[in-house]
Amino acid sequence: MPQPSPAPAPHRFYYLHNFQRALDWLHTRYGDLLGVDDLQFLTDFRQLPQAAQALLVRMVMRRGPWFRASKLAYDEIPDTRDAAAPLLSRGWLCADAPLGLSELFALHTKRELLQILQGTALHPTMRKAEMLQALADRADLRQPYAAWHPHADEPVWQVTVGARCERLRLMFFGNLHQSWAEFVLADLGVFRYEAVPLDAASRAFQHQADVDTYLALSACRQALDAEGFDAAALLQALAAAHSATPWLEQRRARVLLRVGQACERARDWPLAAQAYAASSAPGARHRQIRVLERMQCSDQALALAHQALTAPESEEEHQRVARMLPRLRRSLGQGGGPRRPALAPAVAALRMDVELPAPTPPQSVEHALRAHWHCAEAPVFYVENTLVNALFGLLCWPAIFAPLPGAFFHPFQSGPADLAAPDFVARRQALFNACLAELHDGRYRATILQRFEEKHGTQSPFVAWGALSAELLALALDCIPPAHLERLFARLLRDVQANRTGLPDLVRFWPGRPPGAERYALVEVKAPGDKLQDNQIRWLDYCVAQGIPVQVCHVQWCGPA
């Protein structure tokens, strides 16, 4: 499927044409995974009159499944009821399906409801929520719309193919958070995407069971947001949703982590421990140790903590478990050392204090310090996590957007789908090595500048274009030695997801200093009473060890607040 070009939508049926493009794409790409009913839907849809096609797509793209005919007014659909007739005859719309009181309330205004429900206990001073509560005795009543409102001058329709269209949307995008609007945003040039070759091996789903598993996991996530969810039933459902497909199994692990967190909030420690034990998601083992400690299973908690320290899944886990270890040992009478490890001396030595007048009007401490330091000879930029990530993203663009199986499923991806996978770097190691080799022979500068021009505005998980200017980029390439960039990128590659955050807030440049002198510094800024976060400490500790210039500036306000 070709990359959409940034051009205005050419006709008023743009949404319909986009939907048809998607159906054609699915038929070509996923024909072997489409069931008989799916294939029949594609065939029947093509045979509908254009107005009927347009009406169905309009409804599918809106929140449903119930719609009043009068609320479906579109210039390109001259007669809504005529357009609905073929959909009703096929059963894709239903005019007499039973609906409940809450669904009736969602379709009407308060004033309309007072007319429809005359003779009940409702009165005009009530809010809609109070009206619904006043009719609690009818909460379980479900009946056709005509029975609720016999004198209605319009029909209400239920879309019955919504779940099928959702399944097709999932197969197209490989997720349920992207919508058909992606076509429009790309056509209008709002978003630009890297054109990545797509073949059969790069499909999101290789088996029908994969689609079913994704939908089952999605249902579990939705159930978590419902009041009074059944955690035990969710754990049972998640156990049944095990998949041999790695990215789906990672998704299941993340849902299990969320179940564990929800059980923790409910103080249901046994179920929380069960959820964490079943999850391979980053952070699950650390949380399991915490829950075991809450359950006073200190011996099990200590044994698991030793496993984590022997083979930590990440620097973050090592840091957190090491902090817990003294407390766990004390609980077993083993003695544990200091209750709270002091800040590492190397990081503590980075501290500097600056006193600034309280800004009027108020502004963030980072912007106030930047304004205080900034001058032509020593420009300062507020970059936080954007600069190092952008330099890495531009240099390593070919590795990040490599067309590997399981990475790119459709033309509207801002980055590879396996970005959070444990083997993300390993699968691309040779490509990353080739990109980083440019830091050794000097090619990196021209490459980064060229990609800044050629790729500008193209979606990337590493490049925040709004935070990156040509001036900032030129100063960074002039003042930051390539050896330092290599060390910064090396830590990013250790744990791409975790290490994209926690970088210092400001970067200071001294472009006039001679080569070999320190020409830049990364500065973490702290407001009065603010403390370093764990991910910030990890970055600072690494920078000190690698000889990368960093500081921690604590700002105090003076003068009137």
Side-chain angles (χ1 to χ4, degrees), residues 134-261:
L135 299 174
D137 60 325
R138 305 187 186 191
D140 296 329
L141 177 61
R142 298 187 67 81
Q143 57 186 2
Y145 180 73
W148 284 110
H149 191 11
H151 305 295
D153 58 0
E154 62 173 327
V156 163
W157 299 312
Q158 180 193 33
V159 178
T160 63
V161 292
R164 186 172 307 284
C165 292
E166 284 292 274
R167 186 181 181 91
L168 294 173
R169 180 166 68 90
L170 168 61
M171 294 179 71
F172 183 88
F173 289 110
N175 62 70
L176 286 174
H177 66 262
Q178 286 183 285
S179 72
W180 303 118
E182 295 285 351
F183 285 89
V184 182
L185 295 173
D187 286 344
L188 296 176
V190 176
F191 292 136
R192 289 177 54 198
Y193 298 94
E194 179 71 0
V196 178
L198 301 173
D199 57 24
S202 64
R203 299 192 309 182
F205 306 102
Q206 298 297 331
H207 309 281
Q208 281 190 352
D210 291 344
V211 184
D212 297 332
T213 298
Y214 188 105
L215 291 170
L217 294 175
S218 181
C220 289
R221 290 191 62 175
Q222 292 176 16
L224 270 174
D225 298 328
E227 187 175 347
F229 69 91
D230 187 338
L234 276 179
L235 288 175
Q236 188 174 6
L238 287 165
H242 178 79
S243 174
T245 302
W247 73 272
L248 284 172
E249 189 58 17
Q250 291 158 20
R251 185 174 185 84
R252 188 179 77 97
R254 292 195 296 272
V255 179
L256 282 164
L257 179 67
R258 288 191 58 189
V259 172
Q261 293 169 326

Side-chain angles (χ1 to χ4, degrees), residues 515-531:
E518 190 172 279
R519 304 176 73 197
Y520 83 103
L522 304 175
V523 185
E524 180 62 38
V525 185
K526 290 299 171 189
D530 199 5
K531 294 181 180 180

Side-chain angles (χ1 to χ4, degrees), residues 262-323:
C263 291
E264 272 199 85
R265 290 192 293 272
R267 305 181 71 82
D268 189 335
W269 311 125
L271 280 181
Q274 182 181 340
Y276 292 142
S279 175
S280 60
R285 181 165 58 178
H286 162 252
R287 287 185 173 273
Q288 185 185 0
I289 296 170
R290 286 175 47 188
V291 169
L292 289 171
E293 185 182 16
R294 292 269 192 176
M295 297 168 64
Q296 298 184 343
C297 300
S298 298
D299 51 347
Q300 295 179 45
L302 183 60
L304 194 57
H306 281 306
Q307 290 180 26
L309 288 177
T310 301
E313 67 185 21
S314 64
E315 294 175 352
E316 179 180 8
E317 184 186 53
H318 187 279
Q319 181 186 44
R320 289 183 170 181
V321 173
R323 188 176 292 151

Side-chain angles (χ1 to χ4, degrees), residues 92-173:
W92 294 2
L93 295 186
C94 183
D96 55 6
L99 74 162
L101 197 63
S102 61
E103 294 160 331
L104 179 72
F105 268 57
L107 288 171
H108 289 281
T109 65
K110 172 182 164 180
R111 184 176 179 179
E112 290 170 336
L113 289 168
L114 289 170
Q115 290 292 323
I116 295 170
L117 300 169
Q118 291 183 50
T120 63
L122 305 184
H123 55 82
T125 61
M126 288 180 171
R127 293 174 299 183
K128 281 186 77 171
E130 294 171 333
M131 292 167 63
L132 190 58
Q133 183 61 36
L135 299 174
D137 60 325
R138 305 187 186 191
D140 296 329
L141 177 61
R142 298 187 67 81
Q143 57 186 2
Y145 180 73
W148 284 110
H149 191 11
H151 305 295
D153 58 0
E154 62 173 327
V156 163
W157 299 312
Q158 180 193 33
V159 178
T160 63
V161 292
R164 186 172 307 284
C165 292
E166 284 292 274
R167 186 181 181 91
L168 294 173
R169 180 166 68 90
L170 168 61
M171 294 179 71
F172 183 88
F173 289 110

